[in-house]
Each structure stands twice: as structure tokens, then as C-alpha cells.
DNA sequence: TCACCTTATTCGACATTCCGAATATATTAT
DNA sequence: ATAATATATTCGGAATGTCGAATAAGGTGA
């Protein structure tokens, strides 16, 4: 029963490489054989297998042998919501806020009651 | 104009550490001084500053000096949607699918037209 | 100015990630 | 059994990430 942030961080770690994001995108609508990913992403086979292993260990994809090949599928399509929202954040220029006429509701800074913060 | 997956991967990388997720959670409702985070998370000050630098460089938080201290705030509350969805994925047991009466719509494997996939 | 408080940065050790090359394993066909 | 195809794993080196200790830098107030 590892803590919830550990688990979430593991998911984030699995998403933290452009090749792995591309793999998931290719798998978005259909399962795919490893060799298809190799060609589609134009990367060495070993490298694709290595990234697939990381996605698999994070539980984001599942593998199923089919004859000589192995088909990979996304475990939970909810992963694409995560990725889409990350893209939105990535695209949003930080300057956006300084351009809005009304400042974006500046939050009050927290003054906690711990010994260090209490003074002042 | 780096590609979109590079940018998303950078966001994921910034989220890929439990301490950084905890920092964001503390900042969820209010800005906070560094020292507050130090006490709230019970980590050395240098370590908190290091993680804050990573979040800042990813554009996920912004800093503003206030007298002796520095207040950190979340840049875009949309980050919490990303984190919440990651937690959902992390919690969902993979066995869930084998327990559902109806199999979860097994996708057909992609048979692409590239030279390697075309045969067979 | 000096002392003090808060935060940032640098440094070095250590761990982890990433990659290509090589090799191993699994399956099918002959 | 042998060959051929598809995939996985291992290994070594470069790059990157993480941490604590020490130090630097910014700001306040005597």
C-alpha cells in the first residue's frame, strides 16, 4: 500500500518520454504489433521494446502474444485524457496571464501556524 | 517550436516525483512561502527549493518575492485535473478487466501497410 | 554597517534513465 | 532440426536526476 503520490509519480514517469507518448498515440485506436511501432516511429526495435517494457510495468499497456508477434494494447483509454490535458498545459504560454485584463484571481499566500511561519 | 510530445513529456517529467506532487497539493488552494512547504512536507529547505525550481522551469508554478520570503503559486489549476486522472489510473487494479463479465471491447490489432507488416 | 532570516545555487556522490549493440527467446515454416 | 521472423533482455557507457552539505544571494531591521 504505497502512498498515492508514489503511484501517481510512477504513472508520470512512464509518460515522461516523447517516444512513449508517441507509442500510446499509435495505440490509441487499435492494438499494434511491435514491428508496426518500429516502422511507424522509425526507431530501432530494441529501443521500442525497452519503452514498451516501461509502459507495461506501469500498467499502461498490455501485451498479448499472437503467433510470432505480440500485440500491444492500451489498458485504460483514460490515459489519453491525462495526455490531452498535459498538452493543453504545455501549449498555454505563461504570458497568457499577464495579457488578460483582469489578473487571474491572485491567491492569498498561506501563513501557516508552524513555528517557522508563525513569527513575522 | 519543439514538437508537442517533447513539451508534454516535459510536463510529465516535472510531475514524476512524489515530493513535487505533494508540493502542488499544498499549493492547491493557496500560495505558500517556501518555508511553509519545508515544514508541511518535512524536507530540507534545499531539497524543497530544488524541486520548486523544477516545477518553475516546467511552468507549473510561479514565484513572487514578498519581502524576505518568496510566495509560490500554481500557474494553471488545470494541473490538478491531470494529477487526479493519473491517480485514478494508478488506483485502478489491472485485474478489473478480467473481472468484468463482458470483455472490455478488445481492439483489433493494427495491420499496417509498411514493408515489414505487409507480408503475413 | 552587522546580524539575522529566507531562499537559491553549487558541488560531489550516488542512483537512475536512455541508447545502441549484441544476444537470447519464442514462434512458425520447411 | 534448421532457418527465418518477431520480440525481449542484457550489457556498458553517456546523460540525467536526486540528495545533503555547504555556500551564496536577497531582504529586513538594529
Amino acid at each position: 500500500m504505497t502512498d498515492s503520490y508514489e503511484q501517481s509519480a510512477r504513472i508520470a514517469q512512464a509518460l515522461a518520454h516523447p517516444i512513449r507518448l508517441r507509442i500510446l498515440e499509435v495505440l490509441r485506436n487499435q492494438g499494434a504489433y511491435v514491428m508496426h511501432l518500429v516502422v511507424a516511429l522509425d526507431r530501432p526495435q530494441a529501443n521500442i521494446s525497452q519503452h514498451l517494457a516501461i509502459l507495461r510495468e506501469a500498467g499502461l499497456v498490455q501485451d498479448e502474444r499472437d503467433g510470432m508477434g505480440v500485440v500491444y494494447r492500451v489498458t485504460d483509454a483514460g490515459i489519453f485524457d491525462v495526455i490531452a490535458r498535459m498538452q493543453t498545459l504545455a501549449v498555454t504560454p505563461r504570458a497568457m496571464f499577464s495579457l488578460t485584463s483582469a489578473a487571474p484571481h491572485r491567491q492569498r499566500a498561506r501563513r501557516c501556524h508552524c513555528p517557522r511561519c508563525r513569527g513575522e
Side-chain angles (χ1 to χ4, degrees), chain A:
Chain A
M1 187 175 297
T2 351
D3 101 66
S4 155
Y5 293 109
E6 296 263 0
Q7 295 174 250
S8 301
R10 262 190 278 276
I11 302 285
Q13 174 61 32
L15 297 177
H17 194 293
I19 293 182
R20 293 197 286 273
L21 293 178
R22 283 182 218 272
I23 287 175
L24 291 172
E25 184 57 33
V26 172
L27 296 182
R28 180 160 198 157
N29 296 318
Q30 291 188 306
Y33 292 85
V34 176
M35 191 53 74
H36 175 74
L37 295 166
V38 167
V39 175
L41 303 179
D42 192 27
R43 301 284 310 163
Q45 176 266 319
N47 191 242
I48 293 292
S49 270
Q50 288 161 345
H51 283 297
L52 282 171
I54 290 171
L55 291 170
R56 176 171 12 99
E57 280 153 25
L60 299 184
V61 302
Q62 289 176 300
D63 58 335
E64 182 200 6
R65 185 163 273 286
D66 174 28
M68 230 166 5
V70 175
V71 178
Y72 277 84
R73 296 186 175 81
V74 167
T75 300
D76 183 337
I79 192 63
F80 296 112
D81 295 337
V82 175
I83 296 171
R85 284 166 191 271
M86 283 198 319
Q87 279 169 338
T88 302
L89 289 173
V91 165
T92 303
R94 215 181 28 223
M96 192 187 116
F97 296 113
S98 50
L99 295 176
T100 53
S101 50
H105 176 262
R106 162 134 313 179
Q107 300 169 324
R108 184 167 289 110
R110 176 175 301 215
R111 287 288 184 185
C112 70
H113 299 291
C114 60
R116 309 298 282 274
C117 304
R118 191 166 41 206
E120 209 286 22

